[in-house]
Amino acid sequence: MATISYMHDALDHVSDPEKCKRCSVRHQAVCSSLAPAELAVLNKIARKREFKAGQNILIAEEDMPYVATVVSGVIKLIQSLPDGRQQIVGMHFPPDFLGRTYGTKSRCFAEAVSDVDLCLFPKKEFENLLANYPDLETRLFQDTLDELDVARDWMLLLGRKTASEKVASFLAMIARRVPLQGCQHSSEPHQISFHLPMTRADIADYLGLTIETVSRQMTRLKTHEIIRLHDNRDITILNMDRLSELAGLS
Amino acid sequence: MATISYMHDALDHVSDPEKCKRCSVRHQAVCSSLAPAELAVLNKIARKREFKAGQNILIAEEDMPYVATVVSGVIKLIQSLPDGRQQIVGMHFPPDFLGRTYGTKSRCFAEAVSDVDLCLFPKKEFENLLANYPDLETRLFQDTLDELDVARDWMLLLGRKTASEKVASFLAMIARRVPLQGCQHSSEPHQISFHLPMTRADIADYLGLTIETVSRQMTRLKTHEIIRLHDNRDITILNMDRLSELAGLS
DNA sequence: CGTTATGTTGATAGCCGTCAACATACGTGG
DNA sequence: CCACGTATGTTGACGGCTATCAACATAACG
């Protein structure tokens, strides 16, 4: 299972001051709200860190002296009950920000779903930057407002949608967020192919279902020729309009 | 049902510059992060507005040129599906902040659960204040982070808790947030009395259940002598420890 | 080639939703 | 004052959706 491995083990400095310029998310991540001189300051405190799929990134109730930007890979945020039931309460894709400023402990677990590259910032120094660069704080604030909107959309899904609607909503959401595969300009319009970043168990924990129900709904979508399954992970959405209808977005 | 009535109808100016000083939430609301001179500026743009129970405060997808502080009463935030199913995604008590800065439209409906007093601020002018008073923005940012934590706790409830756990969790949450009634220093420890601010239908929409299931779980708690029902709305928690256990917080 | 992880499919059970009847409170108008 | 309608809440009978339990299939891996 998940190897225990904290965010602050085995850090590599971003020693090269030019490194930010070569970063794949430099134009989208929170750091893009900084002026060049400010970015140089951030560059000094930034550290790279890789996580293998399954590794813990944040531990609930434990001190976490870093915040981070997701450079590559996918991360899940997990809330859990004492008896082991768990619920995924957020997914982080590049170039999302990860971690909670103002307050030292995380309230959820965060685990790498795939191999992950993070760009870490010591929390204390990062908060100093926030105090000095209002644009950075505004940007982070806006990102948090967006996260709250996403969380509330998901609450509607968890509380009121059927299993069928949940799975359809999930696929529609993933299609919008993960990098797509293959030629998207085929003769068939609305066909979208992508690689699912997570297992059926993760999907179940994300949707408040069991893995069996997720599996059944997937085969149902396959039977109705709304999706095609190549590899359990590689999916083509054959009819995006129909999928959106099923998701309750019509 | 809910009377359509927008936030910007029938406004009263907070003409009196001393009015903020007499405000019942002045030491808790976001405005408490302002220095006296700054508060005077806020005072100038503030407007009082009352809403009757059932009135709409925010309409999804409509322009809303105000943000506000809840001075008294309770407000629910609602997400809904095209077919009418709905989910309450947030409750606002005094001295919470209401409305979304940065972005003109609301993504949820907000409706007064009880009679409500709001202190409104024109959004554009409020955002100017945010830009000039970093403490205010930091405060609002922190409040938003807290809201996000609450939303994620609720996602665990919606996705993974049973009806029994949901109702117990709800009562435990309400007991922490609404003003309590009567003498709390009785001979019986852990007895907490309060007035439920919402109907069974609201509770059901908050918990992702039906009103019948909520009702059955309430009588079940009553039968087990964990709560006492006086008036369908006036509740005494007889055994808070047991309730917390049932809520899955043990 | 066995072991483990992951996913699918079937049979069954149970929780909770649906439908219905009834109770109570409240306001309106006769 | 009472009749009536409406809103809210409770309780019961029943059914369906989804969880549970189980068997099996497939792939990855040492």
Side-chain angles (χ1 to χ4, degrees):
Chain A
M1 290 304 162
T3 312
I4 301 291
S5 115
Y6 301 82
M7 233 193 202
H8 45 288
D9 295 341
L11 298 172
D12 296 325
H13 266 266
V14 181
S15 46
D16 180 358
E18 297 294 294
K19 203 154 187 178
C20 285
K21 291 192 182 161
R22 292 195 303 272
C23 175
S24 58
V25 295
R26 73 188 180 285
H27 291 123
Q28 295 86 42
V30 289
C31 42
S32 68
S33 63
L34 294 172
E38 299 167 350
L39 187 61
V41 177
L42 187 69
N43 191 76
K44 282 209 184 64
I45 67 168
R47 282 138 180 78
K48 275 286 290 299
R49 173 89 161 81
E50 292 179 21
F51 291 83
K52 290 293 170 192
Q55 280 188 313
N56 287 330
I57 296 174
L58 298 174
I59 316 278
E61 309 303 332
E62 285 199 12
D63 276 352
M64 170 36 56
Y66 293 92
V67 294
T69 289
V70 182
V71 176
S72 73
V74 182
I75 294 164
K76 58 180 176 181
L77 293 188
I78 303 170
Q79 288 272 30
S80 49
L81 289 167
D83 65 4
R85 283 175 285 174
Q86 53 182 38
Q87 175 67 46
I88 294 180
V89 296
M91 301 286 300
H92 286 271
F93 297 82
D96 294 347
F97 184 83
L98 178 70
R100 170 158 178 158
T101 50
Y102 307 118
T104 152
K105 293 174 185 182
S106 167
R107 292 188 47 178
C108 324
F109 290 82
E111 188 182 314
V113 170
S114 62
D115 290 354
V116 165
D117 287 312
L118 292 186
C119 181
L120 298 184
F121 314 107
K123 191 178 283 187
K124 211 176 170 76
E125 301 176 46
F126 190 81
E127 287 177 1
N128 286 341
L129 292 189
L130 283 183
N132 292 323
Y133 306 145
D135 285 352
L136 181 60
E137 179 162 54
T138 298
R139 165 61 191 266
L140 216 49
F141 181 25
Q142 292 192 36
D143 284 1
T144 304
L145 286 169
D146 290 337
E147 274 193 271
L148 187 57
D149 284 335
V150 169
R152 286 173 169 164
D153 287 342
W154 215 251
M155 287 170 73
L156 176 63
L157 175 145
L158 291 173
R160 290 305 187 194
K161 289 189 180 179
T162 64
S164 162
E165 291 167 332
K166 284 178 174 180
V167 172
S169 300
F170 169 78
L171 292 174
M173 183 278 287
I174 289 289
R176 283 195 304 273
R177 295 197 70 182
V178 301
L180 303 179
Q181 290 181 340
C183 178
Q184 297 307 316
H185 300 282
S186 71
S187 55
E188 293 295 330
H190 299 286
Q191 290 210 357
I192 301 172
S193 294
F194 53 83
H195 182 82
L196 267 188
M198 56 212 300
T199 67
R200 296 288 187 274
D202 285 334
I203 299 172
D205 283 342
Y206 201 15
L207 298 175
L209 297 172
T210 59
I211 53 178
E212 294 93 332
T213 299
V214 171
S215 182
R216 275 185 258 268
Q217 294 300 331
M218 294 285 258
T219 42
R220 197 163 151 273
L221 289 173
K222 188 174 61 176
T223 307
H224 292 10
E225 297 187 329
I226 294 166
I227 63 172
R228 178 174 299 140
L229 291 172
H230 308 277
D231 184 278
N232 287 337
R233 290 292 193 104
D234 292 307
I235 293 187
T236 300
I237 297 178
L238 301 172
N239 190 337
M240 192 62 200
D241 294 342
R242 190 90 188 80
L243 191 73
S244 295
E245 268 179 54
L246 290 176
L249 306 174
S250 55
Chain B
M1 291 304 159
T3 313
I4 301 292
S5 116
Y6 302 81
M7 232 192 203
H8 46 287
D9 296 341
L11 297 172
D12 296 324
H13 265 266
V14 182
S15 48
D16 180 357
E18 297 296 292
K19 204 155 187 177
C20 285
K21 291 191 183 164
R22 293 195 302 272
C23 176
S24 59
V25 295
R26 72 188 181 286
H27 292 122
Q28 294 86 41
V30 288
C31 43
S32 68
S33 63
L34 294 172
E38 299 167 350
L39 187 60
V41 177
L42 187 69
N43 190 77
K44 282 209 182 63
I45 66 169
R47 283 138 180 78
K48 275 287 289 300
R49 173 87 162 82
E50 293 179 18
F51 291 84
K52 291 292 169 192
Q55 282 187 312
N56 287 329
I57 296 174
L58 298 174
I59 317 279
E61 309 303 333
E62 285 200 11
D63 276 353
M64 169 36 57
Y66 292 92
V67 294
T69 288
V70 182
V71 176
S72 73
V74 183
I75 294 164
K76 59 180 174 181
L77 293 187
I78 303 171
Q79 288 273 29
S80 49
L81 288 169
D83 64 4
R85 283 175 286 175
Q86 52 182 36
Q87 175 67 46
I88 294 180
V89 297
M91 300 287 301
H92 286 271
F93 298 82
D96 294 347
F97 183 82
L98 178 70
R100 169 159 180 160
T101 51
Y102 307 118
T104 151
K105 293 176 185 182
S106 167
R107 291 189 48 179
C108 325
F109 290 83
E111 188 183 315
V113 171
S114 62
D115 290 353
V116 165
D117 287 312
L118 292 187
C119 180
L120 298 184
F121 314 107
K123 191 177 283 188
K124 211 176 170 75
E125 302 176 47
F126 190 82
E127 287 178 1
N128 286 340
L129 292 189
L130 284 183
N132 293 322
Y133 305 146
D135 285 354
L136 181 60
E137 179 161 54
T138 298
R139 165 61 189 267
L140 217 49
F141 180 26
Q142 293 192 35
D143 284 1
T144 304
L145 286 169
D146 290 338
E147 276 193 89
L148 188 56
D149 285 336
V150 169
R152 285 173 169 166
D153 287 342
W154 215 251
M155 287 170 73
L156 175 63
L157 175 143
L158 292 173
R160 291 303 186 195
K161 289 190 180 178
T162 65
S164 161
E165 290 166 333
K166 283 178 175 181
V167 172
S169 300
F170 169 78
L171 292 173
M173 184 278 287
I174 290 289
R176 283 195 304 271
R177 295 198 70 182
V178 301
L180 303 180
Q181 291 181 340
C183 178
Q184 297 307 317
H185 300 283
S186 71
S187 54
E188 294 295 330
H190 298 286
Q191 289 210 356
I192 302 172
S193 295
F194 53 83
H195 181 82
L196 267 188
M198 57 215 298
T199 66
R200 296 286 187 276
D202 285 334
I203 299 171
D205 283 341
Y206 202 16
L207 298 175
L209 298 171
T210 60
I211 52 177
E212 294 93 332
T213 300
V214 171
S215 182
R216 276 185 256 269
Q217 293 301 331
M218 295 285 259
T219 43
R220 195 163 152 273
L221 289 173
K222 189 174 61 177
T223 308
H224 292 10
E225 296 188 327
I226 294 166
I227 64 171
R228 179 174 299 141
L229 291 172
H230 307 278
D231 182 279
N232 287 337
R233 291 290 193 104
D234 292 306
I235 293 187
T236 300
I237 297 177
L238 300 172
N239 190 336
M240 192 63 198
D241 293 343
R242 190 91 187 80
L243 191 73
S244 295
E245 267 178 54
L246 289 175
L249 307 173
S250 55

